[in-house]
Amino acid sequence: MQRIAAEEPDRPTWSGDRIHAVTVRLARDHHLDLPLLWPHMWLTLPETTRSEITIAEQALTRATTLGGWALLYAPLTAWWWPAAPLTVVLALTARHRLRSATDTYAQLLEAAAHLHATDLATQLGIEHIGPLGPALGDALALQLRTRTPNQSIFKGTLPH
């Protein structure tokens, strides 16, 4: 099962499932809501971590673009036969690169959450002792969910 999916498949594609598996594991094991947590954590990540994640995102974008080119060449095969092998090579290369880039990106997301969620908690003023755990995940979620868009750090200084 691990070869196919680390968690129960829930998305229409392997790539979607791979990234979704990270959110499932973080929610189950540490009570971290990654979509809620990520924008806040991104701002506090060290530059080296951010650059590694950005490089992985760019590789994911390039692989997706290559797959798009394969789709664009596919109709051309009806009129020009040499486009068929080109389309197959592009599609297979894109599939391989997409899976590799997605796996790297997902691993980096999970590692960043494990390594830096406690740093974010400290910056938010959440008292915690020890490693990342469900109690800290719950405290982070509570802190980040209670801040609504109407609550601003500039409250009272902006015209209404």
Side-chain angles (χ1 to χ4, degrees):
M1 182 181 142
Q2 286 292 81
R3 196 172 56 108
I4 296 170
E7 297 292 335
E8 183 74 25
D10 189 49
R11 299 294 188 259
T13 64
W14 180 90
S15 300
D17 271 335
R18 179 65 181 96
I19 293 171
H20 180 68
V22 171
T23 62
V24 168
R25 272 194 304 279
L26 289 172
R28 181 188 62 225
D29 299 343
H30 303 292
H31 296 189
L32 289 177
D33 182 355
L34 192 60
L36 174 67
L37 184 73
W38 189 252
H40 305 279
M41 191 165 22
W42 180 257
L43 295 173
T44 63
L45 290 175
E47 189 58 37
T48 55
T49 304
R50 287 171 48 152
S51 66
E52 288 295 322
I53 292 170
T54 301
I55 289 168
E57 284 176 326
Q58 290 169 348
L60 196 54
T61 300
R62 286 191 305 273
T64 305
T65 301
L66 189 62
W69 278 107
L71 288 175
L72 290 173
Y73 274 110
L76 185 59
T77 62
W79 295 287
W80 189 53
W81 73 266
L86 178 64
T87 301
V88 170
V89 168
L90 285 175
L92 291 174
T93 303
R95 181 181 184 273
H96 172 72
R97 289 184 184 177
L98 183 63
R99 284 183 169 233
S100 176
T102 300
D103 193 49
T104 300
Y105 181 65
Q107 287 177 13
L108 289 172
L109 287 179
E110 193 164 9
H114 281 151
L115 295 173
H116 299 287
T118 54
D119 298 339
L120 176 62
T122 301
Q123 289 191 4
L124 291 173
I126 297 172
E127 297 288 330
H128 68 282
I129 299 172
L132 177 62
L136 182 58
D138 291 339
L140 276 166
L142 181 64
Q143 175 78 17
L144 296 175
R145 280 194 183 111
T146 56
R147 189 170 271 268
T148 63
N150 294 334
Q151 292 176 326
S152 172
I153 59 172
F154 304 107
K155 191 172 185 169
T157 60
L158 296 175
H160 292 104

